[in-house]
Amino acid sequence: MENKEYTYKRIAGTLDYGLRNPPVFIRYMWAFVGLGVFCLVIFTVATIVAREPLLLLAVTLFPLFFCSFGGYFIIRERCHNNVIKLLCQDAVEIVAYTEKVYCESARMRTYNGAAFILLNPKYNQPYILKVKVKYRTEKHIYFSNAKENSPFDSLFLKGCSYHGKMVEDYGDGKVKILYSPKYDKVMFLKDEKVKKIVSEEIEE
């Protein structure tokens, strides 16, 4: 296995939690937090000078929204990255076979990337991703957006981000993935494209 840091940078996301956010998105979230803090300071000073405590309570809701909105996605991305680093410790590169499976509730179970979906309607499809893996002599089948709780679930890390894009990019074909035997988890690689196939089972 190559250098762990290099491996970490190659990872596009995990089957459980979806694709990683683009760096530009996280920069925008930091901008939201900075704007919220700036407005909070300005509004606080202004209301103290005006001696209107009730006004202070009202106007702080606006900057607090910006801080909490941006802060949530920043923390979620950090939690996701920490899980990826953990999975990289024993990850092995193997071939998996993927399939798009119809699931009407898939539209509602993606966790973020709503604006992305609005700009790219083709990703708002009622499908989840089925991944078939053979590691050594054992076969495994996994599903994206699975209802079973993951041991890594937390307040900030639930659901599947950019789920529709993940299904579209990696569905219905053969693709190299990273598999963690210790944690029994699947990760997708940025530099690996799915090879479309009609139907194929994992070889014996």
Side-chain angles (χ1 to χ4, degrees), residues 80-95:
H80 194 190
N81 288 341
N82 287 340
V83 169
I84 289 172
K85 288 178 180 178
L86 188 64
L87 300 182
C88 280
Q89 293 178 4
D90 71 323
V92 291
E93 189 172 307
I94 58 177
V95 173

mmCIF file of all heavy atoms in Angstrom, residues 80-95:
data_model
loop_
_atom_site.group_PDB
_atom_site.id
_atom_site.type_symbol
_atom_site.label_atom_id
_atom_site.label_comp_id
_atom_site.label_asym_id
_atom_site.label_seq_id
_atom_site.Cartn_x
_atom_site.Cartn_y
_atom_site.Cartn_z
ATOM 1 N N HIS A 80 -15.810 13.704 8.839
ATOM 2 C CA HIS A 80 -15.728 12.768 7.712
ATOM 3 C C HIS A 80 -14.267 12.483 7.371
ATOM 4 O O HIS A 80 -13.876 11.332 7.142
ATOM 5 C CB HIS A 80 -16.457 13.359 6.508
ATOM 6 C CG HIS A 80 -16.718 12.371 5.426
ATOM 7 N ND1 HIS A 80 -17.188 12.730 4.178
ATOM 8 C CD2 HIS A 80 -16.575 11.006 5.372
ATOM 9 C CE1 HIS A 80 -17.332 11.650 3.435
ATOM 10 N NE2 HIS A 80 -16.969 10.595 4.119
ATOM 11 N N ASN A 81 -13.448 13.523 7.340
ATOM 12 C CA ASN A 81 -12.028 13.344 7.030
ATOM 13 C C ASN A 81 -11.324 12.497 8.084
ATOM 14 O O ASN A 81 -10.427 11.703 7.759
ATOM 15 C CB ASN A 81 -11.342 14.702 6.910
ATOM 16 C CG ASN A 81 -11.739 15.445 5.647
ATOM 17 O OD1 ASN A 81 -12.226 14.845 4.697
ATOM 18 N ND2 ASN A 81 -11.557 16.756 5.634
ATOM 19 N N ASN A 82 -11.720 12.655 9.345
ATOM 20 C CA ASN A 82 -11.124 11.846 10.417
ATOM 21 C C ASN A 82 -11.465 10.366 10.240
ATOM 22 O O ASN A 82 -10.630 9.490 10.482
ATOM 23 C CB ASN A 82 -11.608 12.338 11.784
ATOM 24 C CG ASN A 82 -10.984 13.655 12.181
ATOM 25 O OD1 ASN A 82 -9.937 14.052 11.657
ATOM 26 N ND2 ASN A 82 -11.609 14.362 13.102
ATOM 27 N N VAL A 83 -12.708 10.082 9.826
ATOM 28 C CA VAL A 83 -13.106 8.697 9.559
ATOM 29 C C VAL A 83 -12.284 8.129 8.405
ATOM 30 O O VAL A 83 -11.787 6.999 8.465
ATOM 31 C CB VAL A 83 -14.614 8.621 9.222
ATOM 32 C CG1 VAL A 83 -14.977 7.234 8.687
ATOM 33 C CG2 VAL A 83 -15.443 8.951 10.453
ATOM 34 N N ILE A 84 -12.099 8.923 7.356
ATOM 35 C CA ILE A 84 -11.327 8.477 6.196
ATOM 36 C C ILE A 84 -9.883 8.159 6.594
ATOM 37 O O ILE A 84 -9.315 7.138 6.168
ATOM 38 C CB ILE A 84 -11.366 9.546 5.087
ATOM 39 C CG1 ILE A 84 -12.771 9.602 4.475
ATOM 40 C CG2 ILE A 84 -10.333 9.254 3.997
ATOM 41 C CD1 ILE A 84 -12.977 10.740 3.506
ATOM 42 N N LYS A 85 -9.286 9.013 7.400
ATOM 43 C CA LYS A 85 -7.911 8.768 7.854
ATOM 44 C C LYS A 85 -7.825 7.472 8.658
ATOM 45 O O LYS A 85 -6.845 6.718 8.541
ATOM 46 C CB LYS A 85 -7.424 9.948 8.699
ATOM 47 C CG LYS A 85 -7.154 11.206 7.894
ATOM 48 C CD LYS A 85 -6.712 12.364 8.790
ATOM 49 C CE LYS A 85 -6.452 13.614 7.969
ATOM 50 N NZ LYS A 85 -6.073 14.772 8.819
ATOM 51 N N LEU A 86 -8.841 7.207 9.450
ATOM 52 C CA LEU A 86 -8.870 5.974 10.238
ATOM 53 C C LEU A 86 -8.985 4.751 9.326
ATOM 54 O O LEU A 86 -8.282 3.751 9.514
ATOM 55 C CB LEU A 86 -10.051 6.026 11.210
ATOM 56 C CG LEU A 86 -10.138 4.914 12.258
ATOM 57 C CD1 LEU A 86 -8.945 4.981 13.204
ATOM 58 C CD2 LEU A 86 -11.433 5.042 13.050
ATOM 59 N N LEU A 87 -9.849 4.840 8.326
ATOM 60 C CA LEU A 87 -10.042 3.718 7.403
ATOM 61 C C LEU A 87 -8.806 3.474 6.546
ATOM 62 O O LEU A 87 -8.560 2.345 6.104
ATOM 63 C CB LEU A 87 -11.244 3.979 6.493
ATOM 64 C CG LEU A 87 -12.606 4.164 7.176
ATOM 65 C CD1 LEU A 87 -13.699 4.373 6.136
ATOM 66 C CD2 LEU A 87 -12.939 2.968 8.056
ATOM 67 N N CYS A 88 -8.020 4.515 6.310
ATOM 68 C CA CYS A 88 -6.814 4.379 5.484
ATOM 69 C C CYS A 88 -5.736 3.515 6.138
ATOM 70 O O CYS A 88 -4.838 3.015 5.457
ATOM 71 C CB CYS A 88 -6.222 5.763 5.189
ATOM 72 S SG CYS A 88 -7.062 6.646 3.859
ATOM 73 N N GLN A 89 -5.822 3.332 7.446
ATOM 74 C CA GLN A 89 -4.766 2.632 8.167
ATOM 75 C C GLN A 89 -4.578 1.198 7.692
ATOM 76 O O GLN A 89 -3.466 0.677 7.689
ATOM 77 C CB GLN A 89 -5.059 2.664 9.677
ATOM 78 C CG GLN A 89 -4.963 4.066 10.280
ATOM 79 C CD GLN A 89 -5.305 4.086 11.756
ATOM 80 O OE1 GLN A 89 -5.548 3.034 12.374
ATOM 81 N NE2 GLN A 89 -5.317 5.265 12.346
ATOM 82 N N ASP A 90 -5.674 0.540 7.295
ATOM 83 C CA ASP A 90 -5.542 -0.850 6.833
ATOM 84 C C ASP A 90 -6.196 -1.058 5.472
ATOM 85 O O ASP A 90 -6.457 -2.197 5.061
ATOM 86 C CB ASP A 90 -6.159 -1.811 7.856
ATOM 87 C CG ASP A 90 -7.681 -1.726 7.883
ATOM 88 O OD1 ASP A 90 -8.200 -0.601 7.730
ATOM 89 O OD2 ASP A 90 -8.342 -2.767 8.054
ATOM 90 N N ALA A 91 -6.473 0.032 4.751
ATOM 91 C CA ALA A 91 -7.202 -0.066 3.491
ATOM 92 C C ALA A 91 -6.403 -0.800 2.418
ATOM 93 O O ALA A 91 -5.187 -0.650 2.317
ATOM 94 C CB ALA A 91 -7.573 1.330 2.997
ATOM 95 N N VAL A 92 -7.114 -1.590 1.623
ATOM 96 C CA VAL A 92 -6.506 -2.298 0.494
ATOM 97 C C VAL A 92 -7.280 -1.931 -0.774
ATOM 98 O O VAL A 92 -8.497 -1.724 -0.741
ATOM 99 C CB VAL A 92 -6.525 -3.828 0.699
ATOM 100 C CG1 VAL A 92 -5.592 -4.222 1.816
ATOM 101 C CG2 VAL A 92 -7.931 -4.324 0.976
ATOM 102 N N GLU A 93 -6.572 -1.851 -1.877
ATOM 103 C CA GLU A 93 -7.208 -1.501 -3.147
ATOM 104 C C GLU A 93 -7.671 -2.773 -3.856
ATOM 105 O O GLU A 93 -6.866 -3.658 -4.142
ATOM 106 C CB GLU A 93 -6.228 -0.726 -4.022
ATOM 107 C CG GLU A 93 -6.853 -0.137 -5.268
ATOM 108 C CD GLU A 93 -5.908 0.788 -6.016
ATOM 109 O OE1 GLU A 93 -5.357 1.724 -5.381
ATOM 110 O OE2 GLU A 93 -5.704 0.557 -7.225
ATOM 111 N N ILE A 94 -8.965 -2.862 -4.106
ATOM 112 C CA ILE A 94 -9.537 -4.037 -4.762
ATOM 113 C C ILE A 94 -10.579 -3.587 -5.785
ATOM 114 O O ILE A 94 -10.960 -2.412 -5.828
ATOM 115 C CB ILE A 94 -10.192 -5.005 -3.744
ATOM 116 C CG1 ILE A 94 -11.280 -4.288 -2.941
ATOM 117 C CG2 ILE A 94 -9.160 -5.613 -2.827
ATOM 118 C CD1 ILE A 94 -12.016 -5.184 -1.969
ATOM 119 N N VAL A 95 -11.057 -4.539 -6.592
ATOM 120 C CA VAL A 95 -12.070 -4.249 -7.593
ATOM 121 C C VAL A 95 -13.449 -4.549 -7.009
ATOM 122 O O VAL A 95 -13.657 -5.578 -6.357
ATOM 123 C CB VAL A 95 -11.850 -5.088 -8.864
ATOM 124 C CG1 VAL A 95 -13.020 -4.914 -9.837
ATOM 125 C CG2 VAL A 95 -10.543 -4.680 -9.533
#
